[in-house]
Amino acid sequence: MVEDRITDGRRIAELLSSELDGREDGLLERVAVTNADRDVEPSADGTRAYDVTYRDERLARVFVHEDRARLEFEAAQDRAADTATDLELRVRPKATEPPKTLVFLESGAAVKRATDVVQRVGRALEEADDRAET
């Protein structure tokens, strides 16, 4: 059986949203998709589709392009970059204030790996909270 490779940015973002919102295991039970634009249309520069939050803190924004989706991590950028690189996702820093880490999802197959990045970023926030409490 031959499966088509999903390279439509909007569809990739939808798959990621389903994966993040639909799983209730471990850290993902506290991850939510928020501020969704249900009528989002892909663009060359990327159009914001929704936010990814963890315990009401925005971790990242998801943007759709015609041929990919991208996550812009605002929290734990170093952890996001290291994890995404380890998982063979394309990563690029964004020199803005505050800085961001861009993680590109170029196929539907990248969604599971992106979910792992979100979990590890959430874990980094938990670790920082634990250190602050001690």
Side-chain angles (χ1 to χ4, degrees):
M1 181 171 137
V2 176
E3 291 185 33
D4 292 331
R5 181 180 164 155
I6 298 171
T7 57
D8 173 87
R10 184 176 176 156
R11 182 67 184 130
I12 294 167
E14 288 171 348
L15 290 170
L16 179 62
S17 174
S18 294
E19 187 71 16
L20 293 173
D21 235 11
R23 288 183 48 190
E24 297 289 326
D25 56 313
L27 187 134
L28 287 177
E29 69 185 1
R30 294 180 298 278
V31 171
V33 172
T34 58
N35 302 318
D37 179 353
R38 304 229 182 268
D39 299 319
V40 68
E41 291 296 327
S43 68
D45 293 332
T47 306
R48 192 197 67 77
Y50 55 85
D51 298 337
V52 177
T53 59
Y54 175 71
R55 292 193 199 164
D56 298 324
E57 178 180 349
R58 186 170 60 210
L59 298 181
R61 289 183 173 179
V62 175
F63 291 80
V64 294
H65 300 259
E66 292 177 15
D67 60 346
R68 67 183 179 272
R70 83 169 189 266
L71 285 134
E72 279 194 6
F73 282 93
E74 301 171 4
Q77 296 98 10
D78 291 341
R79 177 75 62 98
D82 292 344
T83 302
T85 299
D86 290 347
L87 295 172
E88 299 179 353
L89 295 170
R90 190 164 58 97
V91 178
R92 182 172 62 89
K94 185 172 183 180
T96 58
E97 192 51 48
K100 296 180 174 87
T101 295
L102 308 183
V103 176
F104 297 91
L105 310 180
E106 297 172 332
S107 72
V111 167
K112 294 279 189 192
R113 291 178 281 156
T115 303
D116 290 344
V117 176
V118 169
Q119 288 185 86
R120 291 189 191 163
V121 167
R123 214 168 286 125
L125 295 178
E126 285 183 346
E127 291 165 3
D129 287 348
D130 289 347
R131 283 191 302 271
E133 291 175 4
T134 58

